[in-house]
Amino acid sequence: MANWCSTDYMFVGATENARRLLADLEQAVCADSWLAYVRKALLPESCGMDIPCRGEVSYLDDELHEYSDGLAGVRFSTETAWCACEELMQRIADKYALHPYYYTEEPGMGIFQTNDAEGVYFSARYMVDSESKGCEYFDDFEEVASVIREMTGIEVRQFEDVEPMLTEWNGHSFLLVHEIEIV
């Protein structure tokens, strides 16, 4: 059975380029959300190439996100097998002269990554998964430490101490903390 990877994207660039991508993506996804179909619709010249595209577009925002300086972004999400389809997404971004920012996670493989080093589009740097609250995302470790303290009474000062300090507590329930890697 495949491990499924969830990835949120924000393709950013000149408003007209973003508008073209949104229109083309809407048309492609309306017909079929599978990435192989989206690839065929957006990059027909690449169909003979070996570019991983196993998965689907699971969400497409129907509006552009407008930013200053004539920039706009297209937000969408994918569910893919094992890992994000980086080559496919980079080729789409190149075709539309946009920059692809993303956050991807595949908990079974311990993948929690973003390429948004400045945190402009994906600011979270930690993911907390707990039995009582489910998954939550935090921008800094102080917020994570506060959640751990509220839930367990355990005082944690740095990320490296989380796992060893929660070992005993996790024997009764679960509270997992993941640092989001900047790639």
Side-chain angles (χ1 to χ4, degrees):
M1 173 178 274
N3 289 311
W4 290 96
C5 182
S6 298
T7 306
D8 293 325
Y9 291 96
M10 177 65 83
F11 279 38
V12 179
T15 300
E16 192 52 43
N17 296 345
R19 186 171 286 118
R20 268 188 325 113
L21 173 60
L22 180 59
D24 291 351
L25 266 175
E26 285 175 331
Q27 190 172 25
V29 170
C30 183
D32 192 329
S33 64
W34 285 103
L35 288 175
Y37 182 82
V38 171
R39 171 185 160 185
K40 183 178 178 181
L42 272 55
L43 303 168
E45 69 283 356
S46 74
C47 288
M49 299 175 187
D50 185 25
I51 300 172
C53 55
R54 185 173 176 193
E56 69 178 336
V57 174
S58 56
Y59 171 78
L60 174 59
D61 202 335
D62 59 357
E63 294 182 17
L64 283 181
H65 295 261
E66 306 237 2
Y67 302 103
S68 60
D69 301 328
L71 298 178
V74 176
R75 183 177 292 274
F76 63 100
S77 302
T78 62
E79 294 288 326
T80 56
W82 295 288
C83 62
C85 293
E86 293 179 41
E87 184 179 358
L88 174 64
M89 294 304 156
Q90 188 60 57
R91 285 178 182 268
I92 291 171
D94 290 347
K95 176 179 180 172
Y96 292 88
L98 299 170
H99 183 81
Y101 292 95
Y102 66 87
Y103 169 71
T104 189
E105 69 179 45
E106 201 294 276
M109 298 297 291
I111 296 172
F112 302 89
Q113 300 174 332
T114 184
N115 69 338
D116 187 359
E118 286 80 39
V120 174
Y121 307 103
F122 299 101
S123 61
R125 296 299 180 240
Y126 298 91
M127 191 275 270
V128 176
D129 187 7
S130 69
E131 185 173 29
S132 61
K133 294 184 177 185
C135 293
E136 297 178 289
Y137 298 86
F138 299 95
D139 293 349
D140 60 53
F141 187 74
E142 290 75 28
E143 294 173 295
V144 173
S146 176
V147 167
I148 292 171
R149 186 175 43 258
E150 288 172 21
M151 292 179 71
T152 69
I154 297 171
E155 195 75 40
V156 179
R157 299 201 192 297
Q158 59 186 10
F159 176 75
E160 294 74 23
D161 295 337
V162 170
E163 190 174 334
M165 292 183 82
L166 291 179
T167 300
E168 185 177 328
W169 193 84
N170 276 330
H172 308 287
S173 184
F174 78 87
L175 175 60
L176 306 171
V177 179
H178 303 281
E179 187 170 32
I180 298 170
E181 177 187 9
I182 298 172
V183 293

